[in-house]
Amino acid sequence: MVYKYDFLIIGAGVAGMSYALKVARGLHSKEATAKSQKPRICMICKASLDEANTSFAQGGVASVTNMKVDTFDKHIADTLIAGDYISDRAAVEQVVRQAPAQIEELVSWGVNFDRKDGGDFDLHREGGHSEFRILHHADDTGAEIQRGLMEAVRNCPDIEVKENHFAVEIITQHHLGVRVTRRSPNIQCYGAYVLTPQVVKEVNGVKEVKEGRVDTYLAKITVMCTGGCGAVYMTTSNPVIATGDGIAMVYRAKGTVADMEFVQFHPTVLHNPQETHPAYLITEAMRGYGGILKLPNGETFMEKYDERLSLAPRDIVARAIDKEMKIHGLDHVCLDVTHKDPAETKKHFPNIYQKCLSIGIDITTDYIPVRPAAHYMCGGIKVDLNGQSSIERLYALGECSCTGLHGGNRLASNSLIEAVVYADTAAKDSLAHVDLYDFNERVPEWNDEGTMTNEEKVLITQSVKEVNQIMSNYVGIVRSDLRLHRAWDRLDMLYEETERLFKRVRPTRDICELRNMINVGYLITRWALERKECRGLHFTTDYPLHAYDKK
C-alpha cells in the first residue's frame, strides 16, 4: 500500500513528539489547512509511543533559569569545556540561548518540573556544570517529559501515530534507478519503506501481532528521530530498541554522518547482570547531590584522576572506574550516599531507592554497586542549525543527529534541551519549505518476497550477540589500533553474511536491526581509527597525547 503525508516522522521521544506538535500548530496557522479532513503528520514508532530513550533519562534538562547567579555565557563555557573544544559554537549558542523559551513550552504542554515552596524551579547541579541549572522531576524527568508530550500528541487530531511499525529504508533517487554517491548533488528523500504489522488474532482483548508487508510512505518532508545506538554494546542504559536505525539508514542513502567515535559511557549504571538492555541508570544527579565513588572496601579513588572528584565530566569518571575495575579485578565499584539524610535521599531519588530495594540494597545504609555502560552517541547524522541533513527534504533530530552541540563529549542534561530547541528550528524551516515539494509518484513498491526459517532466526540472534561482544571488547571505553582493526575485520565478515541473508529473505524487524547495528558498529570503528589522538570520549593507548599536549 502507498500512504501520503506532508510530514513523516520516524521515531518518537522528545525530539519527534515536540517537532510534531510544533508543526501541527504551524499548520493551523494556515487558513487552508484548517479545512483538512485527515492528518497531515504521521509518526512511525518501532515499538509503543512511550518506549523511547527519553523515558529513561533520569537526571533532567539543562537551562539557564536562575538569572541571579547563572548566565548564558557560563552554560556556553561549560558545554565547550565538556566537549573538549570540538563543539560548534553556533550550535552551542543556539541551544543555550533558546533553552528558557523551550522550557516554558514544555511546561505549557503539561510537563511538570519540581519546584521549591516559593514556586521557583528546584534546580540540581551535575558533573561539568558550574551552576545549579538542571530542571528535573524527582529522578524520572525523562518519563515525565514523555508523559506530558504523549498526552499532547494523542490529543492532537493532525498527528497520526503508528506504533509497532518499522522503517526499513528511506526512499531516495536510488530507488528510482538513479546511481547515487556521497558526492551526488541534491540527493532527495521522498519518504520511507515501512514494515507494517498485521494482527493475526485477538484473544481476551490481547492482539497477537506479526510482521507483515512493507508499505510505501511518501512524504514531502521526512524527519529522522530514531534515537541512539547503545544496543550495539553488551551493557547499555538504552532500551533494546536503540539499534542506530536512523544513522544506518541515512548512511546507506549516502547521507553525511559525523563524530561517530564519540560514544559516551555513563559512569554509573546499576550493576545487575539480569538487566543489560537497559541497565538501570543511576543518575549523575546523585553525585551532584553528594554521592561519593568508592571501591567496595570503602576507599575513595577519584582524587587520583581529577580535582573535581566524583563531579568530573563523564568521560573522566568512566575511564577512572574502568581502570579501577581492571586494577582490582572487580566487576563494579560503588556509589555511597549513606552519609546523606535518609529522608532527603528518598525524597530526591524515590525510584532509584525502590529499584535498589527490589534487589536487596537499601541505598540509605548500603553502597550502590555501579559500573559504566554505553549511554549516548554524540555523533550521528550531520545537520545544520535548522536540523536539515545533507539529503534534501530530510531532517534529523535528537540523539540520531549530530548538531555539533556536544563536540567530543556531551555535557550532562544538554541532550533533552537540544532535542526541543532543534525541533523548534526544524519545524519553522520545514513549514516554510513544505509547499515547495510534491509527492514523488514514481517511487516503486518494495519487493518483499521470500521467507525466513527458524534456523535463519537463530543465526540473526547469534550475530547480534557477536556485534555486542565485538563492540564491547574492542571499541569500548579504552581503545587501540589493534583492537579497532580486529573489530573492523569481524564486523566486515558479519556484514557480508547479513547482506547475503537480507537479499534472500522477507524483511523482518530482527534482520533490519542487525543490519543497522553492523552499519553503526562499522561507523564507530572507522571514525575511531581515523582519530589519531585522545580527544573527548575517544581514548586510545596508541596516541595517548591530547592535541594540546603536542604543542
Side-chain angles (χ1 to χ4, degrees):
M1 293 185 64
V2 178
Y3 298 89
K4 296 179 182 179
Y5 296 92
D6 285 354
F7 300 90
L8 176 65
I9 305 167
I10 303 174
V14 63
M17 288 193 288
S18 55
Y19 174 86
L21 290 167
K22 290 170 183 290
V23 168
R25 181 178 59 199
L27 289 175
H28 272 291
S29 68
K30 299 180 179 181
E31 182 179 354
T33 304
K35 302 175 183 179
S36 176
Q37 299 298 310
K38 65 178 183 178
R40 297 177 60 184
I41 307 164
C42 179
M43 182 178 293
I44 301 293
C45 303
K46 69 187 287 188
S48 60
L49 187 59
D50 60 348
E51 190 174 352
N53 265 1
T54 298
S55 61
F56 291 89
Q58 293 176 342
V61 186
S63 175
V64 176
T65 54
N66 184 0
M67 299 294 185
K68 295 178 182 178
V69 296
D70 202 3
T71 66
F72 290 145
D73 286 342
K74 287 182 181 180
H75 192 180
I76 289 168
D78 291 344
T79 300
L80 293 173
I81 291 168
D84 210 354
Y85 300 100
I86 303 176
S87 302
D88 181 336
R89 189 178 182 97
V92 176
E93 295 220 6
Q94 174 169 281
V95 171
V96 170
R97 296 185 186 281
Q98 295 186 20
Q102 296 308 313
I103 291 295
E104 291 181 9
E105 185 146 47
L106 285 174
V107 172
S108 73
W109 284 332
V111 176
N112 298 307
F113 294 110
D114 289 352
R115 297 177 184 266
K116 297 178 181 178
D117 292 338
D120 293 336
F121 290 121
D122 178 24
L123 301 175
H124 279 182
R125 180 185 173 194
E126 295 182 350
H129 289 271
S130 58
E131 297 290 349
F132 286 75
R133 66 169 68 99
I134 312 302
L135 294 87
H136 64 97
H137 179 273
D139 58 353
D140 61 349
T141 308
E144 170 60 19
I145 292 174
Q146 192 84 357
R147 181 206 61 74
L149 291 178
M150 281 195 301
E151 185 174 337
V153 165
R154 293 194 188 282
N155 289 331
C156 180
D158 294 304
I159 303 171
E160 183 174 356
V161 179
K162 295 199 174 185
E163 298 178 309
N164 299 305
H165 285 59
F166 185 87
V168 177
E169 296 285 11
I170 59 171
I171 302 169
T172 65
Q173 290 100 314
H174 166 77
H175 297 95
L176 302 178
V178 178
R179 184 174 180 269
V180 174
T181 70
R182 300 198 189 283
R183 295 183 179 180
S184 299
N186 302 321
I187 302 175
Q188 291 193 336
C189 178
Y190 306 123
Y193 290 115
V194 177
L195 186 58
T196 304
Q198 291 182 330
V199 177
V200 179
K201 59 182 177 180
E202 184 172 338
V203 180
N204 297 326
V206 178
K207 296 178 181 179
E208 181 182 338
V209 178
K210 74 172 184 178
E211 290 165 316
R213 63 182 184 273
V214 176
D215 289 330
T216 304
Y217 281 66
L218 298 180
K220 295 179 180 179
I221 298 287
T222 303
V223 187
M224 200 66 76
C225 305
T226 52
C229 54
V232 304
Y233 288 91
M234 291 176 66
T235 303
T236 177
S237 63
N238 297 176
V240 69
I241 63 172
T243 49
D245 304 322
I247 298 172
M249 281 188 279
V250 171
Y251 176 74
R252 287 196 295 266
K254 312 303 182 185
T256 302
V257 299
D259 296 347
M260 291 296 292
E261 72 270 41
F262 298 126
V263 181
Q264 186 176 78
F265 288 79
H266 197 288
T268 54
V269 299
L270 181 63
H271 174 60
N272 180 3
Q274 306 305 314
E275 296 181 344
T276 59
H277 290 74
Y280 190 80
L281 188 67
I282 304 298
T283 174
E284 191 163 5
M286 185 164 274
R287 285 182 280 131
Y289 168 71
I292 301 171
L293 288 165
K294 296 181 177 180
L295 297 174
N297 64 8
E299 293 181 14
T300 60
F301 58 86
M302 280 306 301
E303 62 272 12
K304 295 190 292 184
Y305 300 96
D306 196 280
E307 62 183 11
R308 290 164 288 188
L309 305 177
S310 294
L311 278 175
R314 290 178 176 179
D315 60 323
I316 295 173
V317 177
R319 283 197 296 271
I321 294 174
D322 181 71
K323 187 170 182 178
E324 291 296 315
M325 288 168 55
K326 289 175 179 175
I327 290 173
H328 299 285
L330 303 170
D331 55 11
H332 70 275
V333 296
C334 299
L335 187 61
D336 177 18
V337 292
T338 60
H339 55 287
K340 303 292 289 186
D341 179 72
E344 282 296 306
T345 298
K346 294 177 185 178
K347 175 184 175 182
H348 285 294
F349 307 103
N351 294 289
I352 292 176
Y353 176 76
Q354 291 296 333
K355 176 63 179 181
C356 291
L357 204 62
S358 72
I359 59 173
I361 299 168
D362 184 340
I363 66 174
T364 64
T365 58
D366 304 324
Y367 290 171
I368 306 171
V370 295
R371 62 169 298 149
H375 182 57
Y376 191 88
M377 168 52 72
C378 291
I381 304 161
K382 185 63 177 174
V383 298
D384 63 15
L385 291 173
N386 292 319
Q388 170 76 51
S389 75
S390 64
I391 298 177
E392 191 177 343
R393 302 168 58 165
L394 176 69
Y395 295 76
L397 307 173
E399 190 175 350
C400 71
S401 71
C402 179
T403 65
L405 171 70
H406 307 304
N409 186 13
R410 178 182 70 116
L411 180 64
S413 294
N414 263 359
S415 51
L416 290 177
I417 196 63
E418 174 199 38
V420 182
V421 168
Y422 271 84
D424 188 66
T425 62
K428 292 174 181 175
D429 190 68
S430 54
L431 281 166
H433 291 89
V434 64
D435 291 335
L436 302 177
Y437 302 125
D438 293 318
F439 297 110
N440 193 322
E441 305 284 359
R442 297 182 296 119
V443 172
E445 293 190 21
W446 183 276
N447 181 358
D448 59 358
E449 294 180 355
T451 59
M452 182 174 291
T453 66
N454 288 332
E455 179 184 9
E456 288 160 342
K457 292 179 181 178
V458 170
L459 291 176
I460 291 171
T461 301
Q462 292 303 312
S463 293
V464 169
K465 291 180 180 178
E466 287 186 55
V467 173
N468 288 163
Q469 292 169 346
I470 291 167
M471 296 303 295
S472 296
N473 292 333
Y474 307 134
V475 202
I477 296 173
V478 177
R479 300 162 179 173
S480 70
D481 281 355
L482 178 62
R483 296 178 190 178
L484 293 172
H485 280 295
R486 177 168 289 193
W488 183 289
D489 293 340
R490 302 296 192 275
L491 289 169
D492 185 60
M493 180 178 65
L494 285 171
Y495 170 79
E496 295 294 342
E497 293 175 351
T498 303
E499 288 303 303
R500 285 197 298 269
L501 181 60
F502 182 75
K503 291 175 182 177
R504 60 182 287 262
V505 301
R506 188 169 187 168
T508 65
R509 175 174 151 179
D510 289 346
I511 192 168
C512 290
E513 285 184 324
L514 173 59
R515 291 181 79 216
N516 295 338
M517 291 171 70
I518 292 171
N519 281 168
V520 169
Y522 157 78
L523 288 169
I524 296 171
T525 305
R526 192 186 89 184
W527 278 80
L529 277 167
E530 291 179 357
R531 184 168 287 279
K532 307 297 185 182
E533 63 177 346
C534 287
R535 197 72 181 271
L537 296 163
H538 175 65
F539 187 86
T540 171
T541 58
D542 288 299
Y543 308 94
L545 292 181
H546 187 284
Y548 302 132
D549 297 328
K550 300 174 185 177
K551 297 179 180 179

